[in-house]
Amino acid sequence: MQNYTTELAPGGHWSLELRRGTQLTLRDLSGASNVGMLFYNPRNLLERYNAPDTLKCQHTFKLTQGHCLYSDMGRIFASITSDSFGWHDTVCGNSHASHIAEKWGARDYQTDRNDWHQNGYDAFLVELAKYGLGAADMAANLNWFSKVMTDAEGNMALAPSGSNIGDTVTLRFEMDTLVLLHSCPHPYSKAETYPKHRIGIELGLAAAVAEDDECLNHCPENARGFANNALYYLGA
């Protein structure tokens, strides 16, 4: 059920608390987009998204439908319930001001207004500051709609064929979650000009988790993660 829609502008950033049982759909409105994202527990900001555990316990390098997104306390922030793209990165991190300046030239808002070049790291810092957090609280982030590849020597690069206009990914939140997101370029982007991609955001209520749920049954580790969530909310 979709209750609210909005749009994230190119190079934009946003944060909000999403309650357990809600869902978030990201929609690529421009093609070959990137959406950086971080999760924190709003009741205990020391608990945050853990990329290594998310990949390790599900025996994967990419993220797609059926996967869960873990906290550093062994709980599940969210599950990926739908995904038309099929490959999302959580290894390569953020673009920084130095990356942007080297590739596309430094531009600041005071001088260039809406034509400035924001980077993912600083975008997250702005949102973190709203909750009393800072650089020390930055974690390895998700990069939705970004597929990375490796060559024979193990060097990583962004795949040349990115997401298509209209591609979506939907997250069902299994915990109350503080969500930070930005639409800044992927750190491995080789675009000739600063990428300016628009992202649609759709919020609503998720269907209840059924016994045959794909994410719950993806692997034994996910079942344990859901059990950890049930214990956390016992009596709530």
Side-chain angles (χ1 to χ4, degrees):
M1 180 187 300
Q2 177 182 315
N3 293 326
Y4 179 81
T5 62
T6 188
E7 186 175 310
L8 192 62
H13 46 84
W14 193 36
S15 59
L16 72 163
E17 180 180 337
L18 288 175
R19 298 299 183 116
R20 178 174 56 142
T22 59
Q23 71 177 27
L24 162 68
T25 297
L26 299 173
R27 186 178 300 275
D28 185 348
L29 300 177
S30 304
S33 294
N34 180 71
V35 180
M37 187 174 285
L38 285 172
F39 300 139
Y40 297 82
N41 181 345
R43 312 293 167 250
N44 174 16
L45 292 170
L46 292 175
E47 182 177 6
R48 60 217 36 194
Y49 173 66
N50 189 297
D53 285 355
T54 293
L55 298 178
K56 178 178 64 177
C57 74
Q58 296 173 101
H59 310 285
T60 185
F61 182 74
K62 69 176 183 179
L63 292 173
T64 188
Q65 181 174 325
H67 288 141
C68 295
L69 308 172
Y70 278 80
S71 83
D72 52 11
M73 299 293 287
R75 291 185 276 264
I76 296 172
F77 276 123
S79 303
I80 307 174
T81 58
S82 178
D83 177 20
S84 67
F85 181 51
W87 215 115
H88 306 272
D89 162 48
T90 190
V91 172
C92 297
N94 267 313
S95 57
H96 288 246
S98 58
H99 301 148
I100 301 299
E102 181 180 352
K103 292 178 181 179
W104 302 295
R107 291 187 182 182
D108 58 55
Y109 182 76
Q110 288 75 13
T111 303
D112 299 287
R113 298 304 185 194
N114 290 336
D115 288 327
W116 74 310
H117 293 167
Q118 176 64 296
N119 66 86
Y121 183 82
D122 287 341
F124 274 147
L125 283 180
V126 172
E127 296 302 324
L128 285 168
K130 296 176 181 179
Y131 308 96
L133 302 174
D137 302 293
M138 192 85 69
N141 60 283
L142 296 142
N143 284 307
W144 301 110
F145 302 123
S146 290
K147 177 180 179 179
V148 294
M149 307 182 306
T150 58
D151 61 21
E153 286 73 42
N155 300 304
M156 287 193 294
L158 193 62
S161 57
S163 52
N164 297 311
I165 295 175
D167 270 336
T168 62
V169 59
T170 298
L171 308 180
R172 180 186 64 211
F173 284 86
E174 317 296 356
M175 294 178 59
D176 294 349
T177 303
L178 175 61
V179 181
L180 280 62
L181 65 162
H182 68 67
S183 58
C184 298
H186 189 277
Y188 287 166
S189 174
K190 294 187 180 297
E192 292 185 4
T193 59
Y194 180 85
K196 293 188 175 183
H197 301 302
R198 296 161 40 243
I199 303 297
I201 298 173
E202 303 163 13
L203 304 174
L205 297 177
V209 180
E211 289 186 3
D212 63 349
D213 184 79
E214 180 179 8
C215 301
L216 169 64
N217 295 290
H218 179 79
C219 60
E221 288 82 356
N222 284 5
R224 288 194 287 271
F226 273 92
N228 289 340
N229 280 37
L231 178 61
Y232 182 70
Y233 283 103
L234 186 66

